[in-house]
Amino acid sequence: STTLLGDDAVRYVGAQDAGKPFFLYLAFNAPHTPYQAPPEYLDRYKDIADPSRRAYAASITAMDDQIGRVVAELERRKMRDNTFIVFMSDNGGTRNPMFAGAMADLSKARIPCDNGPFREGKGMNYEGGTRVVALANWPGRVSAGTTMKGLLHVVDWYPTLARLAGASTASCRPLDGLDAWPAI
C-alpha cells in the first residue's frame, strides 16, 4: 500500500543522522494495474464516471500525499536544503490491454493512462513507452523550471549520483550511463 511505503520512508528519514548523507530509494507501485486506491481517495474523485480512471487519479493523489509526508519530514529535520530529490517513472502509461495485467473488465472501463502525443505506452519501444517526465529538485542547486530538454536514461543516474556524493566510478565495470549533472 502507498501509505505503508510512505510510513516506512518517513520513519527511515526520521532515524537518520542529519549530519550524514543517506540514500532513500522510494518506489511506489501506484499508479499501476490493477488500478486501486483507498476509499477516502476514491471519494475525492466521485465525479469521474469511469472506475479505472477514478482509481488512477486517486492512486496518484495518494502517492502525492505520501511524497509530501516525506518532504515534510525532511523539512522538520532541517535536512531539506541538503536533499536532492529525483522523481521519475520507469515507463510510460499502459495503453495496450496486453500489458494491463489484472484490471477491471475493459468492456466497462478503459485504460486510464494518457501519454499525450506519444504513440503506444508501457512495454513498447515507441516514445509513449519510453519517454516520461521526470523532475529533479534540490533547493539552491537545481534551478526551478525546465533545465534539460534532452534525453536522460535511468542508467545515467548512477554516475550522476556517485559524482554528487564524491564517489568514484573508476573501479566499476564499464558503465552505460553518463554523468548528467552538467546538463541538469
Side-chain angles (χ1 to χ4, degrees), residues 84 135-148 181 183-184:
F84 182 42
L135 72 83
N137 178 271
W138 194 356
R141 303 219 185 159
V142 175
S143 300
T146 301
T147 59
M148 188 172 148
W181 187 249
I184 296 170

Side-chain angles (χ1 to χ4, degrees), residues 106-181:
L106 289 177
S107 66
K108 296 177 183 169
R110 66 179 186 80
I111 295 174
C113 308
D114 183 348
N115 296 319
F118 302 122
R119 180 178 175 186
E120 274 295 341
K122 178 180 180 172
M124 304 298 280
N125 289 330
Y126 297 109
E127 283 186 284
T130 60
R131 184 179 281 224
V132 297
V133 173
L135 72 83
N137 178 271
W138 194 356
R141 303 219 185 159
V142 175
S143 300
T146 301
T147 59
M148 188 172 148
K149 293 188 186 277
L151 298 177
L152 180 94
H153 191 270
V154 69
V155 299
D156 297 320
W157 282 115
Y158 178 69
T160 303
L161 295 174
R163 175 179 172 257
L164 290 173
S168 172
T169 58
S171 63
C172 294
R173 292 182 177 180
L175 298 176
D176 288 331
L178 300 173
D179 176 5
W181 187 249

